[in-house]
Amino acid sequence: MEWVEQEALVPDVAAAFGPALNALGAELDLVASGLDKRFVDAGHSLAHAYDIVEKLIASLDHVTNALDREAADRAIATMRGNADRLARLPVVQADRQRSLDIIQQATSTVQEEVLRVDRTLDFLQICGRNIKVAAAGAQGYSDFADAMIAKLDVSEREMHQISKEVAQLATTVPCVVEVNRVLASECAHLCPHVPDKLAADAIGLQNNQIDTADRADKIATVARDIRAKLSASHGAMQIGDITRQRLEHAAQTCRILDAALADPDIAPDPVAAAALQGRAMSLLAAQVADATQDFQHQSRLLATSFQSIGTQLAAMLSLSGEGAAERGSDAAFLEVLEQSVAEVDSVTARLRDADIRSTRLGAEASVTVERLGQRLTTIYRVTNDVQIMAWNTDLRSFRMGRAGDGLARIAAEIRGLVKTLESVSGSVATAFERLNSAADAISSEPDGETSQGSTLEAALNVIRAGAQLTREGMSELDQNAVMIRDLVTEMIGAVECEAVFSDPLLDIIGRLEEWATRYAQTDAVLTEQASRVFDEISRTYTMSSERQIHGRIVPCPSGQDGPTEGTTDVVDCDGLF
């Protein structure tokens, strides 16, 4: 009776099972197609995000290198040096003014004494002519007087050259004094706030460099971690393709089973058909359930990983200072610093000009003093020559007796002129010493003056280049981070799809399990033809997990009892997150 009831029941159910199998296969294909599209799109977004992260890390390198360390250190040292020099400028100016005053006074003294020498030489010329008159043609006196006048002529020419050089120096000094006066006025306006600001800017630049490097390093660390997670997610994204393949294999199984049930050689009687159906439904239920479980597990891991990346991106944007209200922008700081240094450079240009002119005057004065010092021997020689003239005149007047009284008076007058020349010599020597000392004081280059005209400008160029690179780097950083954030949001939406795919799959699993229970034949044995159906089904597999499940439900075909070379499987990505 039991056989009759089964035989009567099974054909009716089998007759209605074909359309159900076709509908199930179509449903599995539909789910696989939708899942594949979603994960393919997510994969493209992932690849795009990875490329942007690579660019982002490169832009971070630009930010880190925006201020070349050595160049920035030189710029900082230059700014500090200029600040120190500006701070000391009032003292330097006061010292320079004292030196200029000394030069003016010493030059005036030399000019006065040179005039005294000129007048003395003029008197000596008169004495020479008077000797010729007083000698009244006495033998040898005329030649003596002519030689004396000739020496005086040479001396006058040399003293004229000294007078000319001193006059030239005297003309130059007032101009430099005026420049120095303007410079002192500038100092009064600049100090101490300008050098203090420049020194503060130097410290600010140094601190900014340290902060920028530290922040860029932190951002780069986050970016590299994001890159590693995206790289790991690339492997985990294969779950979409793996699940698609497994669902397509299940749909193919439905079609193979439908064709087998329609073949009387494979299902010659209702019992054989029920055994095939029951075993096939159990296999399909197990395969779809395992695929669904793996898909749920991996997609949740992906979603968790992408959400973690989203959190890191938020931290990155915070570190980079997204939003003007939340950041003291490196680029903005460098631009302000550039403007500040440019202003100082413009103001100190006049100071540098005054320095250069004062230094040039000191150098010229030093050269003049050196030449005048060499010419000072002229005065000593004239004094010596005149002394010899006095002695010779005394000697000749003594030999002439009372007839030499006129010569004696001339000799006395010459001795007086000698004393005048000796006084002048001492006064000029003292003035020369003061002049030389003052000239040396202002001709020395103050604090590396040779480079002052360019170093602050060089520092400004470094700052300007740093501002440009930082501005570009930070701009790219924010833009790239926002793009990655948007792509990650898309990927999270793509992989968080249980409601779209898991729910239909769970419904399919439920129906398969119900059919498996309905057609289960505990004592039924698969026919040889039915076993070949399962052999055909096993040949559709590309995953080792599919073969393992197949082996638990039905005997594995010969040589296919485990994963074979070339098969793929779900990647265990637990360790990647």
Side-chain angles (χ1 to χ4, degrees):
M1 179 64 180
E2 182 180 356
W3 169 261
V4 174
E5 289 177 354
Q6 285 185 343
E7 190 174 1
L9 176 64
V10 172
D12 293 336
V13 178
F17 194 63
L21 275 177
N22 290 329
L24 179 65
E27 194 172 347
L28 287 168
D29 281 332
L30 182 63
V31 173
S33 175
L35 187 147
D36 181 62
K37 183 180 185 309
R38 183 177 289 246
F39 271 76
V40 166
D41 291 343
H44 291 157
S45 297
L46 176 62
H48 190 195
Y50 187 89
D51 290 340
I52 296 175
V53 169
E54 288 284 89
K55 294 178 181 178
L56 187 150
I57 292 174
S59 71
L60 285 174
D61 291 338
H62 281 299
V63 174
T64 303
N65 298 323
L67 284 177
D68 177 76
R69 189 62 188 233
E70 292 184 2
D73 287 345
R74 288 194 298 271
I76 292 168
T78 296
M79 292 167 65
R80 285 179 169 172
N82 276 272
D84 291 343
R85 184 168 177 273
L86 285 173
R88 294 195 304 272
L89 200 53
V91 175
V92 172
Q93 287 307 109
D95 291 342
R96 179 183 289 138
Q97 186 58 52
R98 283 192 291 271
S99 296
L100 289 170
D101 291 342
I102 291 172
I103 290 176
Q104 277 191 306
Q105 294 168 4
T107 301
S108 177
T109 298
V110 171
Q111 283 182 306
E112 293 174 358
E113 297 304 322
V114 167
L115 287 175
R116 289 180 63 191
V117 172
D118 283 340
R119 288 195 298 270
T120 301
L121 292 176
D122 288 341
F123 289 143
L124 286 170
Q125 289 274 13
I126 294 172
C127 289
R129 289 191 292 271
N130 288 339
I131 288 174
K132 295 178 76 172
V133 173
Q139 185 177 6
Y141 276 86
S142 179
D143 293 340
F144 165 72
D146 289 341
M148 174 180 171
I149 292 171
K151 288 184 177 181
L152 292 174
D153 287 341
V154 173
S155 298
E156 281 186 338
R157 286 196 296 271
E158 292 200 23
M159 292 308 299
H160 176 72
Q161 188 63 35
I162 292 175
S163 179
K164 183 179 178 180
E165 292 188 7
V166 172
Q168 183 177 356
L169 181 62
T171 303
T172 306
V173 171
C175 298
V176 181
V177 169
E178 177 59 22
V179 171
N180 200 61
R181 185 192 65 77
V182 174
L183 185 58
S185 176
E186 293 283 357
C187 287
H189 289 91
L190 292 176
C191 298
H193 63 280
V194 170
D196 288 349
K197 185 176 186 303
L198 190 59
D201 287 342
I203 295 173
L205 177 61
Q206 188 174 43
N207 292 337
N208 174 263
Q209 186 181 29
I210 294 172
D211 292 343
T212 299
D214 181 62
R215 183 166 58 255
D217 183 63
K218 290 179 180 178
I219 296 173
T221 299
V222 175
R224 291 187 181 95
D225 189 42
I226 290 175
R227 180 175 62 182
K229 287 186 176 180
L230 288 173
S231 179
S233 297
H234 181 75
M237 287 286 284
Q238 294 179 21
I239 188 62
D241 183 59
I242 290 170
T243 305
R244 173 191 62 78
Q245 290 186 55
R246 295 188 69 175
L247 294 179
E248 288 176 348
H249 298 163
Q252 181 66 15
T253 296
C254 290
R255 289 187 284 272
I256 292 172
L257 181 60
D258 181 48
L261 290 173
D263 188 342
D265 293 333
I266 297 175
D269 56 62
V271 175
L276 177 59
Q277 288 172 299
R279 191 70 61 88
M281 291 305 99
S282 296
L283 177 61
L284 276 171
Q287 293 285 17
V288 175
D290 187 69
T292 301
Q293 183 180 4
D294 284 345
F295 171 72
Q296 288 176 326
H297 177 67
Q298 296 295 341
S299 62
R300 288 168 187 168
L301 286 177
L302 279 169
T304 300
S305 178
F306 291 150
Q307 288 166 354
S308 173
I309 292 175
T311 301
Q312 289 179 302
L313 284 167
M316 179 188 294
L317 286 169
S318 177
L319 283 171
S320 69
E322 184 183 39
E326 299 177 0
R327 71 176 173 181
S329 168
D330 289 343
F333 168 81
L334 290 172
E335 287 174 356
V336 171
L337 181 61
E338 175 188 351
Q339 182 178 1
S340 175
V341 174
E343 290 173 355
V344 173
D345 188 50
S346 175
V347 170
T348 55
R350 293 188 296 276
L351 305 182
R352 292 197 300 271
D353 179 65
D355 277 349
I356 292 170
R357 295 181 67 176
S358 295
T359 301
R360 186 180 299 124
L361 169 69
E364 291 175 355
S366 294
V367 173
T368 300
V369 169
E370 183 179 356
R371 289 199 303 267
L372 291 176
Q374 294 171 354
R375 295 184 185 278
L376 183 60
T377 58
T378 299
I379 299 176
Y380 293 138
R381 190 182 69 248
V382 170
T383 302
N384 185 62
D385 288 346
V386 172
Q387 184 72 45
I388 294 173
M389 290 177 193
W391 290 339
N392 286 334
T393 303
D394 271 339
L395 182 61
R396 289 174 182 269
S397 66
F398 178 76
R399 289 175 180 174
M400 292 175 66
R402 293 191 59 83
D405 288 346
L407 287 174
R409 286 194 295 272
I410 295 172
E413 188 173 348
I414 292 174
R415 281 194 295 272
L417 293 175
V418 168
K419 291 180 180 180
T420 298
L421 287 175
E422 288 176 345
S423 173
V424 170
S425 298
S427 179
V428 170
T430 301
F432 275 8
E433 289 179 2
R434 297 178 63 207
L435 190 61
N436 190 57
S437 177
D440 286 344
I442 65 173
S443 65
S444 301
E445 291 183 347
D447 301 328
E449 181 63 34
T450 53
S451 60
Q452 285 299 318
S454 61
T455 52
L456 198 57
E457 182 180 356
L460 186 59
N461 289 335
V462 170
I463 294 168
R464 186 180 291 114
Q468 178 67 21
L469 288 174
T470 301
R471 181 167 54 250
E472 293 174 356
M474 294 303 288
S475 174
E476 291 179 5
L477 173 61
D478 289 345
Q479 292 173 4
N480 289 337
V482 170
M483 290 176 64
I484 297 169
R485 182 183 62 190
D486 294 343
L487 289 170
V488 168
T489 300
E490 292 178 9
M491 289 187 290
I492 291 174
V495 299
E496 286 184 334
C497 53
E498 287 195 35
V500 180
F501 298 110
S502 294
D503 290 351
L505 289 173
L506 291 174
D507 180 65
I508 290 173
I509 293 168
R511 277 179 280 157
L512 288 171
E513 289 177 344
E514 179 185 353
W515 288 341
T517 301
R518 180 185 304 178
Y519 297 113
Q521 298 290 327
T522 57
D523 57 349
V525 178
L526 291 175
T527 64
E528 183 179 349
Q529 291 84 353
S531 296
R532 285 199 292 270
V533 171
F534 285 102
D535 289 346
E536 183 180 356
I537 290 172
S538 70
R539 285 193 291 273
T540 65
Y541 301 149
T542 55
M543 315 290 171
S544 61
S545 54
E546 291 177 304
R547 300 185 186 283
Q548 292 168 3
I549 292 170
H550 188 98
R552 292 199 303 267
I553 304 302
V554 295
C556 288
S558 176
Q560 298 292 330
D561 57 348
T564 60
E565 183 178 355
T567 62
T568 59
D569 201 358
V570 177
V571 179
D572 183 3
C573 296
D574 291 6
L576 299 178
F577 301 96

